[in-house]
Amino acid sequence: MGRIISALNDRKVFDTLNRSSASEGGYITNVSDEYNTVIATVNATAVIENGSYYVGGQPIRAGERLALRLPDFYGDALITAVKVKEG
Amino acid sequence: MSSAENRVRFNILDVLIVLIIIALIIGVFFRNNIVELLSPDKSVEITYTFELKEVDSTRLSYLTQNTPLASRDSGGSMGRIVSVTPSVSVITEYAVDGSIMHLERSGYYDVTVRAVARGYKSDSGVFLDGEVLIAPGMKQYIITATAVYEAIILSIN
């Protein structure tokens, strides 16, 4: 699936809902003291098939989830952006 | 040796083989539109709209005019984007007293997309590219070259 060329490791940010009343309620942004979010930029060579890009048989599209395995880590990742450099 | 023994004679098997070879040649020649040729439903231009909920700004930026669309499930073409209308996502929630809260989701957009595709209308529904069924209210995973979207079909013209 390619190589990580940069990674930004930060506390996980998540929203909770305040339902106290219609006037005071709304989403509250929280910062987790337990979990982190890692935003990694990965460089890989893709093949194009029917207008889609594939790396290792996996379609590479923003919004797709994929199982990511590193030498010492295995987890679920969400593709958030795709940039294509032709050639 | 008599001349009758040298004469080439065709039997029914030879005729069948010749017919099969002709059919194969025709099949190869019209392979790309043989379904359309055999179908009684003629291909027409179909304009349809779909809605995307809570799309982040990065994926919104991939939706531009003339971007090709396809079905993630079948890979069939779903035409091209004609127009994109985004608005900030508004979520409806309920407070503990039961009152309705309309909450804006900063950074996320609800997007109405109008697209045009070749397809046909039949008694069993509207099919894009001869294979992707669409109907108002139907959920479709629509892909571009670099993104995937969960879409709800709103209307078909």
Side-chain angles (χ1 to χ4, degrees):
Chain A
M1 295 296 295
R3 285 183 178 275
I4 294 174
I5 55 173
S6 69
L8 186 65
N9 189 351
D10 214 340
R11 292 285 174 87
K12 180 180 180 180
V13 175
F14 61 99
D15 290 341
T16 53
L17 183 61
N18 172 13
R19 295 180 186 271
S20 59
S21 70
S23 58
E24 295 175 7
Y27 286 104
I28 303 164
T29 300
N30 305 274
V31 178
S32 172
D33 57 4
E34 190 177 6
Y35 295 103
N36 282 27
T37 297
V38 179
I39 299 174
T41 303
V42 177
N43 195 2
T45 301
V47 294
I48 188 164
E49 194 177 312
N50 293 330
S52 292
Y53 297 94
Y54 290 83
V55 174
Q58 167 73 41
I60 302 300
R61 305 180 191 110
E64 293 277 10
R65 290 196 168 273
L66 54 88
L68 197 64
R69 184 175 63 80
L70 278 63
D72 55 357
F73 172 81
Y74 183 91
D76 185 46
L78 172 69
I79 301 173
T80 55
V82 178
K83 280 186 184 172
V84 177
K85 191 176 157 188
E86 300 282 353
Chain B
M1 191 178 290
S2 71
S3 62
E5 289 176 22
N6 289 334
R7 193 185 308 150
V8 179
R9 302 182 74 175
F10 283 98
N11 60 27
I12 187 75
L13 198 60
D14 296 321
V15 173
L16 276 176
I17 290 169
V18 170
L19 286 176
I20 288 169
I21 290 170
I22 291 170
L24 283 173
I25 291 168
I26 291 171
V28 169
F29 194 72
F30 292 105
R31 65 189 179 280
N32 291 328
N33 47 7
I34 197 161
V35 173
E36 195 175 315
L37 286 173
L38 296 175
S39 170
D41 304 301
K42 291 296 166 208
S43 176
V44 294
E45 191 174 274
I46 291 170
T47 303
Y48 65 102
T49 58
F50 57 88
E51 184 181 48
L52 311 171
K53 290 284 199 184
E54 294 187 67
V55 175
D56 60 77
S57 56
T58 303
R59 285 194 302 149
L60 176 62
S61 70
Y62 298 148
L63 298 170
T64 55
Q65 196 175 33
N66 285 327
T67 298
L69 304 171
S71 163
R72 187 180 72 169
D73 298 333
S74 72
S77 170
M78 295 187 72
R80 288 176 178 274
I81 292 175
V82 174
S83 65
V84 179
T85 311
S87 59
V88 175
S89 291
V90 176
I91 309 294
T92 301
E93 294 281 1
Y94 295 90
V96 287
D97 61 2
S99 56
I100 297 173
M101 301 188 292
H102 297 292
L103 306 171
E104 282 196 355
R105 290 280 281 158
S106 178
Y108 291 89
Y109 300 87
D110 293 342
V111 189
T112 302
V113 180
R114 196 156 66 94
V116 65
R118 298 299 298 179
Y120 66 85
K121 297 176 181 178
S122 71
D123 291 343
S124 52
V126 177
F127 292 85
L128 303 181
D129 196 36
E131 56 178 309
V132 182
L133 172 67
I134 59 167
M138 190 177 183
K139 187 164 79 175
Q140 276 276 0
Y141 284 97
I142 295 177
I143 58 171
T144 64
T146 53
V148 60
Y149 305 88
E150 185 181 307
I152 300 289
I153 307 294
L154 295 180
S155 65
I156 302 166
N157 293 316

